[in-house]
Amino acid sequence: MIKELWRRELRLDLLRADYHSPHKFTQTEWQDPRQPPALWYVVYRWLSAVLFFAVAVCSVLDAGRDGQDIGVRYVKWPIYLTNWGLACCCLQAALGAGIATSSLVQDRRQRRVSFWRCRQPYFRCSQVNVSCSTERENGPSSPAATQSLQAPALPLVHRLYWVLNTISVTVAIGITCTYWVAVYEPETHVLDALNILVHAANSALMIMDILLAAHPLRLLHAFWPLLFVTIYLSFSLVYFLAGGTDRMDRTCVYPVLDWAKPTRTTVVCVLGLSFVVAVHTAVWAMHLARRRIARSLREAKMAANKGQADKKDPAVQLDAMA
């Protein structure tokens, strides 16, 4: 079973950001997949986006902190990997909220149109009645009805959200672990609400996203966060060679990423990229567990509903009495 799982996940065609069910990117795993996005999930997506943007604004402004030129805060905010990851989290949260809301609004509009269309007399348009009977059976926006016609290609905005979401969850967890283990120094860093929000709340929100969202996470898509971190490492090297400094006028942005010591820093970079792969694999396993649990719950619910229907069936009752 494990061998089959690895064989299925390590196909080269899965490197592409494509998926046969676009509706999965607007739904939660804990709903009926035949239904439109749950209203509570759409509300959650907007709350997540608002929280991420609030944390980003507080981070840019260094809310609650004094003693540093405000111009330095703005100019040097983009030099930190933490802030790169936070910006990515904001973008994916906004896209996730947008596509979920758009799907919900579109479904309700289609239901209203279908309702009035199905009230037309039969002789006006036979095709209308055929479509109405199909909609009554499967629902106006049923994924099954849509996929019966064709396998829709994943829209560009869904692809962009998928890429950003995959990067965000892996990078956010990696940043949290790395910061508190290798970067945080009580003598230098202030342990306040802003520090916790930027270096802990980000990963907590992304883990919540993995537990709730219905869209898949590919093992081979680890190359997206790897590419993201590699670009940042390249930027940090160029920034060092250009004579850039951090907020405290040190020649290295992070003490563990000091390019004045190239051998040690190269080893740190290799270990860091390996850690990205490990984190992505752990997140992928978490996503598999979510899907398995949700599928088991749906199967149990279907079995229970079938059992109740059998009890109400007169033929089944007569057989039981016999």
Side-chain angles (χ1 to χ4, degrees), residues 164-283:
L164 293 176
N165 182 267
T166 302
I167 293 173
S168 297
V169 64
T170 301
V171 171
I173 296 174
I175 286 173
T176 296
C177 297
T178 304
Y179 177 80
W180 295 107
V181 172
V183 177
Y184 175 72
E185 297 176 355
E187 300 81 10
T188 306
H189 301 95
V190 180
L191 186 59
D192 56 3
L194 180 59
N195 200 352
I196 294 174
L197 285 173
V198 172
H199 296 106
N202 56 342
S203 58
L205 287 172
M206 291 310 304
I207 290 174
M208 180 69 68
D209 205 64
I210 283 295
L211 296 178
L212 292 180
H215 62 79
L217 190 143
R218 301 296 191 196
L219 184 61
L220 287 181
H221 288 178
F223 80 90
W224 290 339
L226 276 174
L227 179 61
F228 182 85
V229 175
T230 301
I231 292 174
Y232 175 79
L233 294 176
S234 302
F235 160 78
S236 69
L237 175 59
V238 173
Y239 187 74
F240 168 79
L241 295 176
T245 58
D246 68 350
R247 289 184 176 184
M248 301 176 185
D249 290 329
R250 295 178 299 189
T251 57
C252 57
V253 178
Y254 293 105
V256 296
L257 201 62
D258 187 0
W259 289 104
K261 304 173 182 177
T263 302
R264 192 195 70 171
T265 303
T266 302
V267 173
V268 169
C269 291
V270 173
L271 293 176
L273 293 175
S274 301
F275 184 62
V276 169
V277 175
V279 171
H280 183 84
T281 304
V283 172

Side-chain angles (χ1 to χ4, degrees), residues 1 12 16 61 71 73 89 104 112 141-142 149 163 166-167 185 187 222 224 233 248 262 270 293 319-320 322:
M1 181 177 179
L12 292 180
R16 296 181 294 109
L61 299 177
R73 302 178 191 178
C89 288
L104 181 63
R112 287 197 298 268
S141 61
S142 170
L149 300 177
V163 172
T166 302
I167 293 173
E185 297 176 355
E187 300 81 10
W224 290 339
L233 294 176
M248 301 176 185
V270 173
I293 294 172
D319 290 342

Side-chain angles (χ1 to χ4, degrees), residues 17 21 33 53 65 72 77 82 133 167 189 218 226 263 271 317:
S21 302
F53 275 95
R65 297 177 182 175
V72 175
W77 188 86
T82 298
S133 61
I167 293 173
H189 301 95
R218 301 296 191 196
L226 276 174
T263 302
L271 293 176
Q317 293 178 359

Side-chain angles (χ1 to χ4, degrees), residues 41-95:
Y41 181 68
V42 176
V43 173
Y44 155 76
R45 295 243 56 116
W46 279 107
L47 287 176
S48 176
V50 170
L51 286 174
F52 270 123
F53 275 95
V55 172
V57 170
C58 292
S59 175
V60 172
L61 299 177
D62 259 359
R65 297 177 182 175
D66 299 319
Q68 190 177 47
D69 181 22
I70 193 170
V72 175
R73 302 178 191 178
Y74 294 155
V75 172
K76 295 194 175 181
W77 188 86
I79 69 174
Y80 294 93
L81 179 60
T82 298
N83 298 332
W84 282 37
L86 185 56
C88 193
C89 288
C90 290
L91 290 175
Q92 68 83 29
L95 286 175

Side-chain angles (χ1 to χ4, degrees), residues 97-168:
I99 62 177
T101 304
S102 175
S103 178
L104 181 63
V105 171
Q106 182 179 6
D107 175 81
R108 293 191 174 185
R109 184 183 297 117
Q110 288 179 353
R111 287 179 183 273
R112 287 197 298 268
V113 171
S114 299
F115 173 77
W116 292 108
R117 181 184 299 170
C118 292
R119 294 174 65 89
Q120 301 298 321
Y122 177 81
F123 63 85
R124 289 188 178 181
C125 181
S126 60
Q127 290 184 348
V128 168
N129 289 275
V130 171
S131 64
C132 291
S133 61
T134 302
E135 289 173 353
R136 290 193 190 99
E137 180 179 355
N138 296 327
S141 61
S142 170
T146 303
Q147 293 177 11
S148 64
L149 300 177
Q150 61 179 356
L154 194 63
L156 179 61
V157 66
H158 292 60
R159 295 171 189 259
L160 181 59
Y161 163 73
W162 197 7
V163 172
L164 293 176
N165 182 267
T166 302
I167 293 173
S168 297

